[in-house]
Amino acid sequence: MEGSPQTNEVINLTAFRGQYSVSATLNGRDSHKYTLEENCGYDVNGVASRSPAALSRYDTIDSPPSYDFYANTEVFGRTRKLRPSLFQLHSNPEDDSSPPPLYEETSNSKEEEDPGEPPPEPARFGWVQGVMIRCMLNIWGVILYLRLPWITAQAGIGFTWIIILLSSCITGITGLSTSAIATNGKVKGGGTYFLISRSLGPELGGSIGLIFAFANAVAVAMHTVGFAETVQALMQESGSSMVSPIDDIRIIGVITVTCLLAISLAGMEWESKAQILFFFVIMVSFANYVVGTIIPAPVEKQAKGFFSYKADIFAANFVPDWRGPGGSFFGMFSIFFPSATGILAGANISGDLKDPNIAIPRGTMLAIFWTTISYLAISATIGSCVVRDASGFVNDTILMSGSDAAHCLGTACTFGWDFSECISNKTCPYGLSNYYQTMSMVSAFAPLIAAGIFGATLSSALACLVSAPKVFQCLCKDKLYPGIGFFGKGYGKNNEPYRAYLLTYIIAVCFILIAELNTIAPIISNFFLCSYALINFSCFHASITNSPGWRPSFRYYSKWASLVGAVVSVIIMFLLTWWAALIAIGIVLFLLGYVLYKKPSVNWGSSVQASSYNMALNHCVGLNHVDEHIKNYRPQCLVLTGPPSLRPALVDFVGTFTKNQSLMMCGNVITGGPSPDTVDSANSNSHVTWLNKRNIKSFYQGIVAGDLRTGVQMLLQGAGLGRIRPNILVMGFKRNWRKCAPTSIENYIGILHDAFDLHYGICVLRMKEGLDLSHHMQAHVNPGFEASAEPNLDTGSPGISTLDLDSLRPLPQPSTVFQSKQDKKTIDVYWLFDDGGLTLLLPYLLKRKKRWARCKVRVFVGGDMQQMEEQKQELTALISKFRLGFHEIQVLPDVNEKPQPEHVKKFEDLLGPYRVQAIQKNGERAVPTSRDSLGMVSDEDIEKNMAKSFRQIRLNEVLKDYSRDAALIIVTMPVGRRGTCPSALYMAWLETVSRDLRPPVLLVRGNQESVLTFYCQ
């Protein structure tokens, strides 16, 4: 095609310098070359990969989908591309002279260098070598060789198969749950801990990770002692000994675990080769056993109960023959079930797998399948070849037609052997029910079975020795618990946790030296079962939350099967050893409580977060079906704090009576256009972090608006969700209103009028020392809340910024008077006008808190001198019906008297700068323009509102007389009529009422609807 480009191009952004300029140096660092790949996003290093498409004909910076846009890591030798931001696509560059750069600055500030040689690739394993073989070796153990024949004798082949299938069903369900979790996103190192913590969150994940790593460390000792006991028994049979039987076990165990540590420290390649060797040894022992069952039994083996495959033996051993105190179905189940565990051995090295999303499901499920088949096969074959009881004496034969045949006991009588004497006396040393080494006796070559036992024990010990450090390393890196980070450091290309290996080795040696693990083993089994229960619960919980993020590629699971698996795992814990189950659960709860108390700052998108959202959403929607009632009224406060850290006293005061009681929402209005900076400033998480650190239970809502009043109107109408929405506006008093421009005063009073129009109650808090801390932090603040000392600030001007968010981080939490416990002072409530009862409800809520419990509430009301007693009795009766516990009621007959002249003069001086100066022109009064008279007070306004003005002046005198030493003063706030009361006059009223008072003053005005009732319905 004509005009098509012949070569691939990389478009340099200098071609678009008219739109965006990116060549400037940032923060004094060297400038980099930034290029735009034609259809592959941004290249932060200036080296873009070639693409066949051309962008020369299209004026767009849009980019097609790319892996790099979603990945968190970079590939060596390939430049990572970055997705353009919405602002870069949406904004008009002509409207912004300094748009943000079209890249994300990386942490590498060095000059571009040749990438050199790639880092060495660590050893990665596939699903066979990394998962399936590892899990099979960990599942197979000494129980397979030494206890499965005995269990078959006790439970019979039928019930033994049920026990095996039930155990495999539980582990299979857990395997399915593990597969679902492992395929729901990219899996890193950490194994079981990583899966549970990223699914259920750090609380349960951290506790399970710690005990799971410890259980694996102790399991190293268990398997090593099992190996040492077998070696010591062989030594004892040959008549040799080193010191004493128990010391021999210790010596052999320490030497063995040291050798295993050396194999582990040599690297995962050597460890994997050792596992393959152990797997080969076990396979040879299985083949040796199968060959032994086929070979005709010699007389010596027949005397010990082995007769090769016989239908009569199978029929006799198919039914149970319970013996001893533990002879029951659950008794045998509790003995066998630990041998079915070990399915997490592959998942525990998830960081060393080539593709964990494929390897873990495939390898784990096939390992469960093949080990289940092996258990079923060995149970059936051993139960078809060996009788339950045998004497071992070759002379215990009978003649088939003799008189002894009629009195012969046991299945062996059919084959010419009479073991009646030892059966009657219960002294038979051989047979399935009595001889633990039956598999060695049946096999073609007994030493190979011993080698199989060695391979099973050593492979399990080696798997646990590798699993514990890997899990612990991931836990250390997450820093959920103090003092363990030292062990998380990795070394070499495989990031091997050598320090964690040494810690695991020390723990294992300590338990090996005990050499008696009968009381420890049940606890370890319960720890593993705890892990299984939580993995199943994680899968179930993630499924029922319906989170869009739960999208496992492994589809063969059921949430209800996972729930059953979790419940059954807990039941089995108590069936195995109830006291060990209680200890395991107690440790989990203790570690859970610690993490809940510490609240680590991690966010993994767990299903608990999704569940919290679902519960909150359902409850919020459910409130739509509940009609509001006065009895359930709660003061839900929208607090105009700006950045909450600038007005900590206002935040602390409102948080005191709303905590665990009602809604609190801190509102912050950022004035300016919707640029990325203003939007980020309004929605910064640093505000919520500050509230959480201060233990304030509050929401935060940032708004970007052209001016303060518009932003507050947006908050008043849009804040909240359904029935959970604010009904009270709380703001600080504008102390320096006399230094502000008239528009600032007009906006402040306009906010009060807007709140009244929207049926909000209003609270205005004033403190003698002020509320705003921005002057201490050397920061700017929205002047509509509380302006700085500069006289020319205007809320309508764009670009006003709040406190720099970075400066918040190193600042300590400032203390306020509302954080400390109040002395035995008074809360003085001046209920001068009925606003629905909000003025009484707030002090009642304060009094319920510990900090204010010692204060006494005094209620003051206005009245007549002649009817003072009657009015007091009437109001006392009314307040007592509200059951608020306020008993001290005082009537103020002098509140309506005229104020003192000097105080009136102060009020007039306060209004002086805002009086309209009337100028006569040709005998007519001049009418000022609206710009000049905005918020100004005319003589006519003074005359109309003279009575209200005198009342505020007189009320201030009363407050000084009665409440000079109060802890808090709550006063009914005056209401100025819109259009008849200028803004400056209204501000003067608020100033006059609350001026020159040491205690904090709260001006309260409800929305004239009842919030208190004395009815029960």
Side-chain angles (χ1 to χ4, degrees):
M1 182 186 297
E2 259 186 63
S4 60
Q6 300 300 320
T7 59
N8 296 327
E9 296 180 327
V10 176
I11 298 179
N12 196 299
L13 286 180
T14 55
F16 300 97
R17 192 173 298 279
Q19 296 181 356
Y20 296 101
S21 176
V22 294
S23 60
T25 301
L26 294 178
N27 300 329
R29 292 176 291 187
D30 294 337
S31 59
H32 304 278
K33 291 182 291 181
Y34 302 98
T35 59
L36 176 65
E37 238 181 306
E38 297 165 3
N39 66 343
C40 299
Y42 298 108
D43 181 353
V44 297
N45 295 319
V47 184
S49 60
R50 300 289 179 176
S51 175
L55 191 64
S56 57
R57 296 187 176 188
Y58 303 100
D59 185 15
T60 179
I61 61 174
D62 254 338
S63 178
S66 172
Y67 173 86
D68 285 349
F69 296 163
Y70 300 91
N72 294 329
T73 56
E74 297 183 6
V75 178
F76 181 83
R78 192 182 78 181
T79 303
R80 184 182 176 189
K81 298 176 285 292
L82 301 174
R83 181 191 297 115
S85 70
L86 183 61
F87 178 79
Q88 294 161 4
L89 298 175
H90 176 258
S91 64
N92 185 357
E94 296 179 359
D95 295 340
D96 192 350
S97 59
S98 58
L102 300 179
Y103 62 88
E104 289 183 18
E105 184 69 18
T106 61
S107 58
N108 184 15
S109 59
K110 298 180 181 179
E111 294 288 342
E112 294 180 15
E113 299 177 355
D114 183 69
E117 293 295 327
E121 183 68 20
R124 303 293 186 195
F125 306 109
W127 65 272
V128 176
Q129 184 179 359
V131 180
M132 188 183 75
I133 292 179
R134 187 176 299 273
C135 288
M136 292 176 70
L137 290 173
N138 211 26
I139 292 173
W140 286 327
V142 292
I143 291 180
L144 170 66
Y145 291 96
L146 302 181
R147 290 296 182 271
L148 185 59
W150 176 72
I151 294 174
T152 303
Q154 290 268 355
I157 298 175
F159 278 111
T160 301
W161 275 37
I162 293 176
I163 291 173
I164 294 172
L165 292 176
L166 181 59
S167 302
S168 299
C169 183
I170 296 170
T171 56
I173 291 174
T174 306
L176 294 176
S177 301
T178 304
S179 301
I181 298 174
T183 57
N184 188 50
K186 190 174 181 179
V187 177
K188 299 181 181 179
T192 305
Y193 161 70
F194 185 88
L195 297 179
I196 297 178
S197 62
R198 270 52 177 181
S199 181
L200 283 180
E203 296 83 8
L204 283 172
S207 58
I208 283 298
L210 194 60
I211 65 173
F212 189 75
F214 178 77
N216 272 281
V218 179
V220 175
M222 287 183 58
H223 296 299
T224 305
V225 168
F227 168 79
E229 286 180 348
T230 306
V231 174
Q232 192 273 334
L234 293 176
M235 292 172 58
Q236 193 171 10
E237 288 180 3
S238 62
S240 60
S241 176
M242 289 183 287
V243 184
S244 64
I246 191 168
D247 288 330
D248 289 351
I249 292 175
R250 290 168 177 165
I251 295 172
I252 297 171
V254 171
I255 295 174
T256 303
V257 77
T258 304
C259 295
L260 294 177
L261 176 66
I263 295 175
S264 302
L265 293 179
M268 289 298 295
E269 299 96 331
W270 287 95
E271 186 270 346
S272 182
K273 292 176 182 177
Q275 293 286 27
I276 293 176
L277 175 62
F278 292 142
F279 183 77
F280 176 76
V281 171
I282 293 176
M283 289 295 102
V284 171
S285 71
F286 283 169
N288 171 60
Y289 162 76
V290 173
V291 171
T293 61
I294 299 174
I295 297 175
V299 175
E300 293 80 5
K301 290 188 177 181
Q302 290 184 14
K304 295 180 180 180
F306 172 59
F307 298 94
S308 193
Y309 292 104
K310 302 294 180 181
D312 292 340
I313 297 177
F314 177 83
N317 289 338
F318 189 82
V319 294
D321 181 20
W322 309 114
R323 299 182 185 183
S328 64
F329 178 84
F330 286 111
M332 296 300 105
F333 181 83
S334 65
I335 293 173
F336 174 80
F337 183 78
S339 67
T341 60
I343 63 172
L344 300 177
N348 286 336
I349 62 163
S350 54
D352 297 297
L353 301 176
K354 291 179 181 178
D355 190 350
N357 299 85
I358 295 177
I360 292 176
R362 186 178 298 176
T364 303
M365 298 311 298
L366 283 175
I368 295 173
F369 174 77
W370 288 118
T371 52
T372 301
I373 295 298
S374 66
Y375 279 129
L376 293 174
I378 291 175
S379 174
T381 54
I382 201 75
S384 303
C385 298
V386 185
V387 296
R388 285 190 168 99
D389 299 288
S391 65
F393 298 115
V394 295
N395 296 325
D396 287 344
T397 56
I398 60 172
L399 297 175
M400 299 303 297
S401 59
S403 59
D404 293 339
H407 301 89
C408 185
L409 300 176
T411 311
C413 299
T414 309
F415 311 110
W417 291 84
D418 184 8
F419 304 133
S420 302
E421 184 178 353
C422 69
I423 293 176
S424 302
N425 300 330
K426 297 181 180 180
T427 57
C428 294
Y430 294 98
L432 288 178
S433 297
N434 309 294
Y435 188 48
Y436 289 154
Q437 302 289 342
T438 300
M439 285 189 65
S440 298
M441 182 265 295
V442 170
S443 65
F445 186 60
L448 287 179
I449 298 298
I453 296 175
F454 293 165
T457 54
L458 292 179
S459 63
S460 298
L462 188 58
C464 293
L465 184 58
V466 171
S467 297
K470 297 286 186 180
V471 173
F472 194 60
Q473 181 185 32
C474 184
L475 180 64
C476 294
K477 289 183 177 180
D478 288 337
K479 299 179 180 179
L480 299 182
Y481 299 101
I484 63 174
F486 172 80
F487 300 100
K489 183 176 176 57
Y491 297 88
K493 63 180 182 179
N494 276 10
N495 195 32
E496 294 290 348
Y498 291 151
R499 297 175 181 177
Y501 275 120
L502 292 177
L503 178 63
T504 304
Y505 171 77
I506 293 172
I507 295 174
V509 168
C510 290
F511 281 93
I512 288 173
L513 293 178
I514 297 174
E516 180 56 55
L517 301 178
N518 290 339
T519 57
I520 305 297
I523 300 179
I524 296 175
S525 298
N526 278 281
F527 282 163
F528 284 114
L529 281 170
C530 265
S531 303
Y532 295 170
L534 282 177
I535 287 177
N536 285 309
F537 182 74
S538 298
C539 182
F540 168 74
H541 195 265
S543 300
I544 63 170
T545 55
N546 295 321
S547 173
W550 175 249
R551 303 185 303 274
S553 57
F554 183 83
R555 300 293 183 182
Y556 306 103
Y557 73 95
S558 169
K559 59 183 177 182
W560 302 114
S562 298
L563 178 62
V564 171
V567 173
V568 172
S569 297
V570 175
I571 294 174
I572 293 174
M573 288 174 62
F574 286 91
L575 289 177
L576 293 179
T577 314
W578 65 268
W579 56 267
L582 292 178
I583 292 175
I585 294 175
I587 295 176
V588 171
L589 292 178
F590 173 77
L591 296 174
L592 170 66
Y594 176 83
V595 179
L596 286 173
Y597 174 75
K598 283 295 184 179
K599 296 179 181 177
S601 56
V602 293
N603 183 13
W604 296 325
S606 65
S607 61
V608 174
Q609 294 174 328
S611 177
S612 300
Y613 174 84
N614 280 353
M615 292 175 61
L617 183 62
N618 291 333
H619 283 95
C620 287
V621 174
L623 287 177
N624 292 334
H625 305 287
V626 179
D627 294 332
E628 294 182 354
H629 195 280
I630 299 176
K631 288 170 61 178
N632 294 325
Y633 174 85
R634 297 169 186 263
Q636 304 187 109
C637 300
L638 171 61
V639 191
L640 300 185
T641 59
S645 58
L646 292 186
R647 291 168 182 80
L650 185 62
V651 172
D652 291 338
F653 174 72
V654 180
T656 300
F657 64 84
T658 59
K659 185 176 183 180
N660 300 325
Q661 178 73 35
S662 58
L663 171 70
M664 176 182 175
M665 180 179 293
C666 294
N668 181 22
V669 178
I670 306 296
T671 56
S675 65
D677 289 340
T678 55
V679 173
D680 291 344
S681 178
N683 299 324
S684 173
N685 286 331
S686 61
H687 302 303
V688 178
T689 302
W690 186 89
L691 290 169
N692 293 337
K693 188 175 180 181
R694 202 172 181 83
N695 199 24
I696 299 294
K697 295 189 176 180
S698 171
F699 294 99
Y700 167 83
Q701 180 64 59
I703 291 290
V704 178
D707 58 79
L708 175 69
R709 185 173 179 183
T710 302
V712 175
Q713 288 173 347
M714 296 165 62
L715 285 172
L716 289 172
Q717 298 182 74
L721 181 66
R723 295 292 176 86
I724 305 178
R725 55 187 310 109
N727 51 29
I728 296 176
L729 177 67
V730 183
M731 53 197 303
F733 179 73
K734 196 175 184 66
R735 292 178 64 206
N736 50 2
W737 61 277
R738 286 171 291 175
K739 298 179 181 179
C740 296
T743 53
S744 179
I745 302 174
E746 188 70 21
N747 282 341
Y748 184 86
I749 298 302
I751 290 173
L752 299 181
H753 290 306
D754 294 339
F756 284 137
D757 291 340
L758 295 172
H759 301 284
Y760 272 72
I762 292 181
C763 295
V764 178
L765 180 65
R766 180 175 186 179
M767 298 181 66
K768 185 177 181 180
E769 60 274 14
L771 297 172
D772 183 19
L773 298 183
S774 60
H775 57 284
H776 297 299
M777 300 180 180
Q778 297 179 353
H780 297 288
V781 61
N782 264 322
F785 291 114
E786 186 168 337
S788 65
E790 300 178 21
N792 296 325
L793 286 176
D794 187 346
T795 57
S797 61
I800 298 172
S801 62
T802 57
L803 177 68
D804 182 12
L805 299 179
D806 292 333
S807 66
L808 281 177
R809 295 185 179 94
L811 291 175
Q813 293 277 348
S815 59
T816 66
V817 65
F818 300 113
Q819 287 182 309
S820 57
K821 195 171 184 179
Q822 303 297 320
D823 297 329
K824 291 185 178 180
K825 295 184 178 180
T826 61
I827 301 176
D828 290 349
V829 180
Y830 289 82
W831 194 27
L832 303 179
F833 306 100
D834 195 327
D835 59 352
L838 182 62
T839 309
L840 293 180
L841 180 61
L842 293 182
Y844 168 74
L845 296 177
L846 281 175
K847 192 79 166 55
R848 293 172 62 180
K849 304 299 180 178
K850 252 183 201 179
R851 297 174 187 169
W852 296 84
R854 301 174 63 187
C855 293
K856 181 175 65 173
V857 178
R858 299 190 300 176
V859 180
F860 297 89
V861 295
D864 264 339
M865 181 68 73
Q866 290 80 10
Q867 301 178 348
M868 190 167 64
E869 286 301 323
E870 292 84 352
Q871 291 175 344
K872 181 177 180 179
Q873 292 177 3
E874 181 181 348
L875 285 172
T876 301
L878 174 62
I879 293 175
S880 65
K881 289 183 178 181
F882 291 144
R883 307 173 306 283
L884 299 174
F886 303 161
H887 303 295
E888 187 169 341
I889 315 296
Q890 295 189 27
V891 178
L892 302 175
D894 54 348
V895 73
N896 294 319
E897 295 181 358
K898 286 187 178 182
Q900 298 180 9
E902 58 269 23
H903 295 154
V904 176
K905 180 65 168 58
K906 284 184 180 181
F907 179 77
E908 292 175 351
D909 294 340
L910 189 66
L911 277 180
Y914 302 96
R915 297 289 294 273
V916 175
Q917 302 298 325
I919 304 175
Q920 298 291 334
K921 292 184 179 179
N922 300 325
E924 297 182 357
R925 182 180 296 274
V927 179
T929 63
S930 60
R931 180 179 178 87
D932 296 330
S933 63
L934 186 63
M936 305 299 279
V937 183
S938 65
D939 294 340
E940 184 179 355
D941 296 329
I942 294 291
E943 292 296 330
K944 285 182 179 179
N945 296 282
M946 182 66 72
K948 279 191 175 181
S949 299
F950 282 172
R951 183 179 300 151
Q952 313 315 320
I953 300 171
R954 176 57 186 159
L955 179 56
N956 180 256
E957 296 173 351
V958 173
L959 295 179
K960 291 178 181 178
D961 291 339
Y962 287 90
S963 302
R964 189 178 302 272
D965 298 323
L968 176 67
I969 301 174
I970 299 178
V971 187
T972 304
M973 188 176 76
V975 177
R977 290 184 178 274
R978 186 196 300 273
T980 61
C981 180
S983 300
L985 179 59
Y986 199 179
M987 282 300 306
W989 287 353
L990 302 181
E991 169 77 24
T992 301
V993 170
S994 57
R995 73 188 305 175
D996 299 334
L997 292 170
R998 186 196 60 79
V1001 179
L1002 182 67
L1003 303 174
V1004 180
R1005 172 62 72 163
N1007 62 358
Q1008 301 303 116
E1009 294 181 2
S1010 297
V1011 300
L1012 295 173
T1013 181
F1014 42 76
Y1015 294 106
C1016 61
Q1017 64 179 12

